[in-house]
Amino acid sequence: MKNFFLKSCTKCMMPETYETFRFDDKGVCNVCNNWDVKLHEINWDERIKRFEELVQGFRGKYDYDCIVPFSGGKDSTFILHQIVKRHNLKPLVVSFDHGFFREKHLKNNERTLKILGTDQITFKPNMKLVGKLMFESLVRKGDFCWHCHTGIYAYPMQIAVKFKVPLIIWGESSAEYNGYYEFDPEKYSDMDEEHFNRYINLGITSDDMLSLLNDKNITERDLAPFKYPNLRDLKKIGYRSLKYGNHINWDPIKQTKIIQDELGWEFDEVEGLPPDFWMEKIECRVNGIRDWLKYVKRGFGRTAQSVAREIRLGKMTKEEGKKLVDEYHAKKPKSLEYFLKIMDMTEEEFMNIALKHEISPWNYSEKKVTHGKKLHDQDNWDTTPIREKNNS
């Protein structure tokens, strides 16, 4: 099939298949225009003062001043560092283990928590259930990470209710990467249930998923970790769910340098990315496959997203960015072999599902695909199947 012309932003080069994109009469996307507000219209000194005033109302009143949801990636590590060292708050660190953490990532986490001296709760769901959720999510949405999306955001909110810790502090503003939200100088969104249902859970609630699975061995109790708490329960504790990125001028490269210097946080190889961006998504074995799915469905991968951010920040030219994108965005990840083994799938089955979610006018072509190399730690990954085809 012949490819149609794929329109791209004249500034950041991201294609029209990127979710929430609109273009102005100059061909600039709405996310880039939103960044102009971030860079030129917001008084970030006033924003951080507002944050300090807000958290003061929670300081010292509960067993913990706040909850910090924590994966151990660059963003949540930076936030935890700032909460402890800059703002002098006592956090409860809450981690949702999606089942695919990598070895260097876990070492980063151990070091970080020792240096900062924080309490932590970690929850890891039943991996047999996760296998079923991943397959159902892949078929329905072309994204196998439903359990991760929902668990990372729902579980810390549940802990907030259970431990009666009303302040929850999240990461970057959603306006950094999409057009759902804006960097409005007078208003910005909290991380609430509307945000969860609009942007996080792929449009599938835990109740929806229970119905879709249609499995007599899975009950509402099994899906409880993925369910957002009732609003009445959150209101009882007087909750406030904030994004730290709404209060500082978010810059992942600069922030990564801080956690490297202060916490010894280390980079790792990441599939589909040049070494310039090996601080992105180091925590997950299967992230390369998820980014590969973006390319199959939409015609871009994580390198394009990282390049777009650096162009918006004025740290990279379009020419420099295009060179990186052309080199990395069509690389099939070697970790796909691992994914297919634990999910009991063939590559043909995987691609047939993925291509059903292709976004027009993009048209995937196998001829453009090259093959990525195996990550240094892949041979150490446990390949025990988490889904059996005859018992899905």
Side-chain angles (χ1 to χ4, degrees):
M1 183 181 291
K2 185 178 179 181
N3 265 317
F4 292 98
F5 174 71
L6 194 63
K7 183 178 180 181
S8 298
C9 175
T10 55
K11 186 173 182 180
C12 73
M13 303 189 298
M14 288 295 291
E16 63 184 301
T17 51
Y18 192 84
E19 191 175 14
T20 75
F21 258 20
R22 299 188 308 275
F23 297 98
D24 64 16
D25 55 6
K26 296 180 180 178
V28 178
C29 73
N30 52 326
V31 177
C32 280
N33 286 328
N34 195 21
W35 268 65
D36 285 340
V37 175
K38 169 186 174 177
L39 296 174
H40 305 297
E41 298 183 25
I42 296 178
N43 185 328
W44 292 106
D45 290 336
E46 288 298 322
R47 282 280 181 98
I48 198 64
K49 287 179 183 177
R50 196 181 306 181
F51 177 81
E52 284 282 10
E53 291 169 359
L54 192 153
V55 300
Q56 194 61 32
F58 297 88
R59 191 187 300 273
K61 295 184 178 180
Y62 309 93
D63 289 343
Y64 298 92
D65 296 327
C66 63
I67 284 174
V68 175
F70 180 78
S71 70
K74 67 184 190 319
D75 297 333
S76 61
T77 301
F78 170 74
I79 295 160
L80 184 59
H81 174 270
Q82 295 291 286
I83 291 306
V84 174
K85 294 296 187 180
R86 180 177 183 179
H87 302 291
N88 196 31
L89 294 168
K90 180 183 179 180
L92 173 61
V93 177
V94 179
S95 300
F96 181 90
D97 181 347
H98 47 57
F100 299 100
F101 284 158
R102 296 172 65 191
E103 185 178 359
K104 183 173 283 191
H105 159 77
L106 292 173
K107 289 180 178 179
N108 276 340
N109 285 4
E110 183 177 9
R111 186 187 314 109
T112 293
L113 295 174
K114 285 178 179 178
I115 292 172
L116 295 180
T118 55
D119 295 348
Q120 180 191 32
I121 290 177
T122 300
F123 175 81
K124 184 173 184 177
N126 173 352
M127 291 304 290
K128 284 189 176 180
L129 173 62
V130 165
K132 295 180 180 183
L133 294 173
M134 289 173 68
F135 183 75
E136 191 67 33
S137 177
L138 178 64
V139 170
R140 299 285 176 175
K141 295 293 182 176
D143 182 347
F144 54 81
C145 294
W146 182 89
H147 83 284
C148 182
H149 301 317
T150 56
I152 284 172
Y153 284 91
Y155 188 73
M157 300 302 293
Q158 294 180 16
I159 292 298
V161 172
K162 290 176 182 178
F163 280 69
K164 295 181 175 60
V165 180
L167 179 61
I168 307 97
I169 302 175
W170 302 88
E172 73 267 39
S173 168
S174 299
E176 293 282 335
Y177 300 109
N178 65 66
Y180 284 125
Y181 300 96
E182 299 180 0
F183 288 110
D184 190 293
E186 298 300 326
K187 61 181 180 180
Y188 42 87
S189 63
D190 283 352
M191 178 58 218
D192 55 15
E193 187 172 12
E194 178 185 355
H195 183 282
F196 181 80
N197 289 326
R198 185 181 192 185
Y199 181 54
I200 300 300
N201 69 4
L202 306 178
I204 301 174
T205 67
S206 59
D207 292 336
D208 294 333
M209 185 59 79
L210 180 63
S211 177
L212 292 171
L213 288 172
N214 192 26
D215 187 327
K216 64 181 181 180
N217 295 316
I218 298 175
T219 68
E220 186 175 352
R221 284 196 313 172
D222 298 312
L223 290 172
F226 311 97
K227 188 179 182 66
Y228 202 83
N230 291 322
L231 182 59
R232 64 176 178 271
D233 293 329
L234 289 168
K235 284 185 174 180
K236 281 181 183 178
I237 64 169
Y239 88 110
R240 188 70 189 269
S241 183
L242 301 177
K243 296 173 188 170
Y244 193 62
N246 281 330
H247 299 87
I248 66 166
N249 193 353
W250 196 260
D251 184 337
I253 301 290
K254 185 185 296 184
Q255 292 162 194
T256 300
K257 182 66 167 58
I258 291 172
I259 61 175
Q260 284 181 296
D261 293 344
E262 298 289 327
L263 302 172
W265 193 89
E266 296 182 358
F267 283 27
D268 204 352
E269 284 184 292
V270 181
E271 289 179 302
L273 279 170
D276 313 55
F277 302 129
W278 276 359
M279 77 289 188
E280 309 266 11
K281 298 295 181 183
I282 70 164
E283 62 267 28
C284 185
R285 298 174 191 170
V286 295
N287 189 73
I289 306 147
R290 184 165 183 257
D291 286 336
W292 170 247
L293 276 169
K294 288 181 185 177
Y295 176 75
V296 173
K297 297 185 300 180
R298 299 177 181 268
F300 66 87
R302 182 160 296 275
T303 293
Q305 291 177 272
S306 298
V307 161
R309 179 193 65 223
E310 295 305 294
I311 290 174
R312 291 167 187 151
L313 284 169
K315 297 183 178 182
M316 183 177 289
T317 66
K318 287 174 62 176
E319 292 72 24
E320 291 169 335
K322 186 177 186 306
K323 183 178 179 181
L324 288 177
V325 171
D326 289 345
E327 183 177 355
Y328 285 92
H329 76 157
K331 286 186 181 293
K332 183 181 296 185
K334 192 69 173 174
S335 62
L336 182 59
E337 297 173 1
Y338 162 80
F339 180 87
L340 297 175
K341 187 168 185 177
I342 65 169
M343 293 296 289
D344 194 12
M345 297 177 70
T346 65
E347 186 170 339
E348 181 181 8
E349 289 172 317
F350 178 87
M351 290 302 295
N352 285 340
I353 293 171
L355 289 169
K356 289 179 182 178
H357 297 276
E358 191 177 59
I359 306 297
S360 179
W362 167 248
N363 180 229
Y364 170 81
S365 172
E366 189 73 27
K367 294 178 181 179
K368 297 180 180 179
V369 173
T370 58
H371 292 269
K373 71 180 186 69
K374 183 181 288 188
L375 293 172
H376 69 91
D377 57 340
Q378 184 171 330
D379 287 337
N380 298 328
W381 300 352
D382 180 71
T383 56
T384 303
I386 60 174
R387 171 186 173 264
E388 297 176 1
K389 188 179 299 183
N390 295 328
N391 187 30
S392 61

